[in-house]
Amino acid sequence: MDDYRTHVEINLGAIRRNAETIKTFTGKRLIAVVKADAYGHGVGPVAKTLRGVANMFAVATVEEGIKLRQAGIQKPILVLFSSLPEQASQVVEHGLVPTIGDSEFANRLNSAASNTVNIHVNINTGMNRSGVHWTEAVQFLSRLKTLDRLTVKGLFTHLATADEQDKSYVFVQIERFASVLEEIPNDVELVHVANSAATLTVPESHFSAVRPGLALYGIYPASERPITLEPALRWKTRIGWIGSLSDGEGVSYGLTYKAPHQTRVAMVQVGYGDGYPRALSNVGEVLIGGARRPIIGRVCMDVSVVRLEPTDSVSVGDEVVLIGKQGDTEITVDELAHRAGTISYEILTQIGTRVPRIFKH
Ligand SMILES: *Cc1c(COP(=O)(O)O)cnc(C)c1O
């Protein structure tokens, strides 16, 4: 038995197999998105696992890129969002591949560099949160040629609605992107558009590389499932206390749950301070002894309370599963997200630093 109050178990083999499955399915190069600590899975071990499969890694910020370099990753690292002008020298120093979305950063970078710097250019085709507007992209790219230290190695755009059933706006964005490609020399190494949803469901978006995040971790962004992915994360805790409520007695802050009759309860050692959503108060479920048991009352910062059945044979210290399988029963990230009124991405990235990541190879 492990010594953790709560921990997540990361199956690195599953992440590697998911990446291989995606590469085989698309037949394209793989830019593995490992931003936000690899969606909460732990970026160092995840990136090391994917070194042999991914052609490039992508992170959100310069700081995340530096962290990957410090973890010993030598593969190209794309920083997806425009960096601050003051970060140009860090980009150069750590050999990161910045995303260019405006001329100011391009100028700063060109001055900070003493050798060639590889860059990717982000074209805004309708996500409207970053990048050069698609109608100005051709001119922007030709002006970039005057900055002699910058080499455009990649062109990309990001889709706003790839996880929806209706793909019409996806095709509007792809056409805008393709209209830019038609006007420029065909010498850019990596042309990439597809996030996980488009990787799985829109082959027209694959171009020369795909750029999935969520799918690497074995989670589907939408209901379509053309390939089989394995969830890589299990979140566990343990029973910390067992008690009983008499008829009409309340539980936890605000006494929002009242026992309808004599009820056995267990405190489980996880709370919103660990990233277990407070929105699961009175609506969450956990697995104990292979069966679902409901969260009753409010989720606290450090602990939560669940209702036991009279026949449950449990002791303090027993394993409780919050995400993943226990016996034949499973709580998926999607189920938890749905119950908490959010999305799987948010559940994963909110799992706190207080929760150790334990890696299985
Ligand atoms: C986060 C992100 C991705 C990956 O998205 P998923 O839905 O997790 O596959 C790809 N591209 C950009 C620009 C992103 O910000």
Side-chain angles (χ1 to χ4, degrees):
M1 251 249 168
D2 50 68
D3 299 334
Y4 306 103
R5 147 188 178 273
T6 178
H7 73 281
V8 296
E9 229 175 62
I10 305 296
N11 180 346
L12 293 171
I15 295 175
R16 201 197 61 245
R17 287 187 291 276
N18 292 335
E20 282 164 351
T21 304
I22 290 166
K23 257 188 121 169
T24 309
F25 175 68
T26 61
K28 300 295 163 79
R29 275 178 282 181
L30 175 66
I31 301 174
V33 180
V34 293
K35 61 191 180 184
D37 199 28
Y39 291 50
H41 290 66
V43 70
V46 167
K48 282 189 187 128
T49 298
L50 290 180
R51 252 187 315 214
V53 192
N55 302 89
M56 181 177 215
F57 289 101
V59 293
T61 67
V62 172
E63 290 80 359
E64 288 181 339
I66 294 173
K67 197 174 163 210
L68 259 194
R69 282 278 179 260
Q70 285 166 347
I73 298 300
Q74 280 157 16
K75 279 262 157 84
I77 300 170
L78 174 64
V79 180
L80 288 167
F81 291 92
S82 303
S83 317
L84 293 170
E86 306 81 64
Q87 292 182 307
S89 57
Q90 285 181 303
V91 166
V92 172
E93 183 188 338
H94 294 277
L96 305 175
V97 179
T99 289
I100 302 294
D102 63 82
S103 1
E104 197 196 342
F105 188 69
N107 292 333
R108 280 289 274 266
L109 194 65
N110 195 59
S111 331
S114 44
N115 295 311
T116 300
V117 179
N118 294 334
I119 61 171
H120 284 210
V121 175
N122 176 11
I123 299 171
N124 172 22
T125 60
M127 175 72 175
N128 296 321
R129 69 172 186 189
S130 61
V132 184
H133 195 264
W134 61 283
T135 56
E136 288 154 18
V138 174
Q139 205 194 6
F140 183 85
L141 287 164
S142 77
R143 263 190 283 122
L144 271 185
K145 291 220 156 67
T146 64
L147 301 177
D148 56 346
R149 295 199 182 90
L150 306 188
T151 308
V152 178
K153 283 279 183 179
L155 282 181
F156 75 93
T157 192
H158 193 50
L159 301 171
T161 61
D163 59 346
E164 290 174 18
Q165 285 284 3
D166 178 355
K167 304 288 188 218
S168 49
Y169 193 68
V170 168
F171 287 105
V172 168
Q173 287 195 264
I174 291 174
E175 271 168 37
R176 289 171 178 172
F177 187 67
S179 76
V180 174
L181 297 179
E182 268 169 34
E183 299 291 315
I184 59 166
N186 186 16
D187 59 356
V188 179
E189 204 173 284
L190 286 176
V191 177
H192 49 104
V193 174
N195 58 2
S196 295
T199 298
L200 298 188
T201 63
V202 188
E204 296 85 346
S205 72
H206 291 177
F207 293 89
S208 64
V210 294
R211 202 176 65 232
L214 194 71
L216 297 173
Y217 311 101
I219 308 193
Y220 296 89
S223 54
E224 298 122 298
R225 302 183 166 198
I227 52 176
T228 302
L229 300 170
E230 295 172 61
L233 179 145
R234 284 179 80 210
W235 190 1
K236 299 200 246 181
T237 182
R238 306 171 82 181
I239 292 180
W241 177 85
I242 295 170
S244 100
L245 307 175
S246 49
D247 188 358
E249 229 180 327
V251 71
S252 188
Y253 290 118
L255 308 176
T256 59
Y257 175 87
K258 295 268 192 321
H261 41 71
Q262 168 101 18
T263 305
R264 274 178 92 209
V265 299
M267 176 268 270
V268 300
Q269 304 185 76
V270 72
Y272 61 80
D274 302 297
Y276 193 69
R278 189 167 176 275
L280 293 174
S281 300
N282 286 309
V283 298
E285 288 188 348
V286 304
L287 304 179
I288 296 177
R292 288 172 173 271
R293 294 291 175 257
I295 302 271
I296 54 173
R298 291 208 182 121
V299 170
C300 307
M301 188 185 292
D302 312 301
V303 300
S304 306
V305 180
V306 300
R307 193 180 68 224
L308 299 174
E309 292 300 322
T311 51
D312 285 347
S313 128
V314 292
S315 322
V316 168
D318 281 3
E319 178 192 88
V320 177
V321 171
L322 309 169
I323 292 175
K325 279 192 184 151
Q326 194 187 48
D328 298 328
T329 325
E330 181 175 13
I331 293 179
T332 63
V333 180
D334 280 322
E335 177 190 336
L336 204 78
H338 187 74
R339 286 181 184 273
T342 182
I343 54 173
S344 50
Y345 297 82
E346 192 177 39
I347 297 291
L348 293 173
T349 55
Q350 292 304 304
I351 300 175
T353 50
R354 195 164 77 175
V355 183
R357 272 65 171 170
I358 307 303
F359 298 94
K360 307 257 144 132
H361 292 267

